[in-house]
Amino acid sequence: MPALSPTMTAGNIGTWQKKAGDAIAPGDVLVEIETDKAQMDFEFQEDGVLAKILKEAGEKDVAVGNPIAVMVEEGEDVSAFESFTLDDAGGEKAPPKDAPKEEASQSSEPPESGSETSPSTLGKDESKSQPTPEPQEAESTGGRLQTSLDREPAASPLAKALALERGVPIKDVKGTGPNGRITKQDIEKYKPSADVTSDSASTAGVASYEDIPASSMRKTIANRLVQSMNQNPHYFVSATLSVSKLLKLRQALNGSADGKYKLSVNDFLIKACGVACKKVPAVNSSWREVGGQTVIRQHNTVDISVAVATPIGLMTPIVRGVEGLGLQSISATVKDLGKRARDGKLKPEEYQGGTFTISNMGMNAAVERFTAVINPPQAGILAVGTTRKVAIPLDSEDGTGVEWDDQIVVTGSFDHKVVDGAVGGEWIREFKKVVENPLEMLL
């Protein structure tokens, strides 16, 4: 089992793209593997022949490093491996369980202090009084795991997103696309069966629900957000920004683009984040443990993670080196990363890392403002609400009138371990300044 991401300790076997006896060339997709982040294609990088599959499609929680197949050189006798087993390959080990944090396991007292609670005292007493616990083998149901294709019907990303939005149980939809693939039109035409309607009526007053198994990616998102809220002391700074000038500049640039590009408001905000992070570099930092020492790592480049909603959960692909990119390059990069994120085609290095995050819910007219959870080990994230028109009093010769101003509300979440309150306020001020004077982004 290959390690397809730095945080991966185990993976699930998806569909094998090759069968025993097939020749493999460098770059060929051997098998689909579901990691803690996404489902990815494992491309083999050597010439050879697949002699034996040791882990069939649907096998779950296979530890990194465990044998999953046997490869031989071209010309070798594949039939010799027909009876080859996992035990013949050296067996397998269980995936490592989450270990407690190193900081939590360390004593605050030195061993030589003489205290009854010091490490040396505990070691002497416990070694005499406590027997070594015997290892116990985990129980197994012995049931056969389903393949990823059996667990969830084949559906286009757009169909999944629409089903999620409308609350349609995708397992009950009959696909009309190639090989039974569920399309957007299938979701739009879906109607609950009469049996479902009658069952609902007969059980009125009784709670009705469906238990949906959490995917590996959903578990990873949950663990990281809980870790962030528990370990990062969040504080929030909000500001109202005028974007009237920005919208006029965007309209002018798109009007002269001749179809070469189409800038979004988010493209401007990503660039503004890069400018603000360079002017207030303390925000473009992260809390790290390096060689047993705690450090605040201040990054020299601004790599902006952009929150993207996908059918399987939130992903944050990274636009790297924002401070040196123009608006056209940022726009093209965001569109490419966003599409591949929704299609599940991102590479690990395209969504792991980053120095600051932006989460924009401005496309939802109902969201005026919100707060976002920091993406560790980063020290800040910006939440962007929708654009709204606000009446501004205007004095004139005819009396007091009004003019309409396009405004958005942004809220920065900062890690107080790294960024003091005054520094977070300074970052918001620099961000507001460049957004309200958007020509600065072109300098």
Side-chain angles (χ1 to χ4, degrees):
M1 171 64 70
L4 299 181
S5 74
T7 59
M8 177 180 171
T9 58
N12 303 335
I13 303 293
T15 304
W16 284 93
Q17 302 297 329
K18 300 289 184 180
K19 62 181 183 296
D22 286 352
I24 299 177
D28 285 354
V29 176
L30 181 61
V31 62
E32 294 177 0
I33 294 178
E34 183 182 356
T35 73
D36 57 342
K37 301 287 186 181
Q39 184 151 324
M40 305 175 64
D41 294 334
F42 173 46
E43 298 180 357
F44 204 67
Q45 300 303 322
E46 297 181 17
D47 290 308
V49 176
L50 179 59
K52 177 77 174 182
I53 294 176
L54 301 177
K55 288 289 186 180
E56 296 293 339
E59 295 285 353
K60 198 170 184 181
D61 292 332
V62 181
V64 169
N66 277 358
I68 61 173
V70 178
M71 302 295 299
V72 298
E73 295 182 359
E74 292 186 14
E76 290 193 27
D77 185 13
V78 175
S79 62
F81 292 90
E82 288 184 1
S83 59
F84 195 85
T85 66
L86 189 62
D87 291 334
D88 295 329
E92 63 178 330
K93 62 180 180 179
K97 296 184 177 180
D98 293 336
K101 295 287 183 181
E102 182 180 352
E103 295 86 344
S105 65
Q106 293 178 346
S107 172
S108 60
E109 300 179 75
E112 65 275 8
S113 65
S115 168
E116 294 181 357
T117 59
S118 66
S120 59
T121 305
L122 291 174
K124 294 175 182 177
D125 294 340
E126 292 178 359
S127 62
K128 296 178 182 178
S129 60
Q130 296 185 1
T132 303
E134 295 183 0
Q136 296 182 352
E137 184 176 354
E139 296 182 359
S140 173
T141 61
R144 177 68 182 170
L145 292 169
Q146 294 178 310
T147 67
S148 59
L149 295 179
D150 292 332
R151 289 198 303 269
E152 182 176 299
S156 68
L158 186 58
K160 291 182 180 179
L162 186 61
L164 184 63
E165 177 184 338
R166 299 190 176 185
V168 174
I170 201 165
K171 293 182 179 180
D172 297 342
V173 180
K174 184 177 180 180
T176 59
N179 299 320
R181 185 179 179 87
I182 298 172
T183 65
K184 174 187 174 183
Q185 289 73 24
D186 296 328
I187 301 297
E188 293 175 337
K189 296 177 182 177
Y190 171 78
K191 293 182 180 180
S193 64
D195 293 340
V196 173
T197 305
S198 61
D199 289 345
S200 300
S202 64
T203 59
V206 180
S208 177
Y209 59 87
E210 177 186 1
D211 289 332
I212 302 174
S215 64
S216 297
M217 183 175 178
R218 176 53 55 186
K219 292 177 183 177
T220 299
I221 292 173
N223 290 336
R224 286 178 61 82
L225 294 182
V226 169
Q227 174 192 3
S228 179
M229 293 302 294
N230 287 342
Q231 298 184 7
N232 301 328
H234 287 55
Y235 72 91
F236 310 99
V237 182
S238 296
T240 300
L241 281 57
S242 171
V243 292
S244 295
K245 293 180 181 178
L246 187 149
L247 294 179
K248 290 178 181 177
L249 176 61
R250 170 177 174 258
Q251 183 180 14
L253 291 175
N254 286 340
S256 61
D258 294 329
K260 295 179 181 178
Y261 57 83
K262 185 177 181 180
L263 302 177
S264 69
V265 172
N266 205 43
D267 298 331
F268 285 86
L269 299 182
I270 292 171
K271 180 62 178 180
C273 285
V275 174
C277 283
K278 291 301 288 184
K279 290 186 176 181
V280 188
V283 173
N284 197 47
S285 304
S286 55
W287 186 268
R288 304 273 181 167
E289 299 289 336
V290 179
Q293 180 182 8
T294 301
V295 300
I296 295 176
R297 179 173 295 173
Q298 194 169 107
H299 303 278
N300 295 326
T301 61
V302 183
D303 301 330
I304 302 294
S305 302
V306 182
V308 176
T310 74
I312 58 175
L314 185 71
M315 297 197 72
T316 52
I318 302 166
V319 183
R320 300 192 182 274
V322 167
E323 75 282 2
L325 295 179
L327 291 168
Q328 182 178 355
S329 297
I330 291 174
S331 179
T333 302
V334 170
K335 286 182 174 64
D336 174 59
L337 291 173
K339 181 180 184 303
R340 290 193 288 117
R342 286 183 283 271
D343 293 341
K345 298 297 184 182
L346 287 179
K347 300 176 182 178
E349 61 270 19
E350 291 177 320
Y351 58 79
Q352 292 174 355
T355 61
F356 189 85
T357 298
I358 182 171
S359 180
N360 191 340
M361 294 181 67
M363 70 294 297
N364 187 335
V367 180
E368 180 178 321
R369 70 180 73 197
F370 69 103
T371 57
V373 180
I374 295 170
N375 184 18
Q378 298 173 13
I381 181 172
L382 185 72
V384 182
T386 193
T387 304
R388 58 195 180 95
K389 288 190 175 295
V390 178
I392 306 297
L394 181 65
D395 291 331
S396 64
E397 296 179 357
D398 300 332
T400 301
V402 296
E403 66 176 0
W404 294 95
D405 186 33
D406 293 293
Q407 297 182 356
I408 60 174
V409 177
V410 298
T411 302
S413 306
F414 300 101
D415 180 359
H416 219 316
K417 298 197 310 293
V418 181
V419 183
D420 289 335
V423 177
E426 179 68 17
W427 189 93
I428 287 289
R429 182 169 66 179
E430 292 294 339
F431 180 79
K432 177 182 174 72
K433 177 183 175 183
V434 71
V435 168
E436 294 185 344
N437 298 278
L439 289 176
E440 290 188 15
M441 302 183 202
L442 306 180
L443 298 178

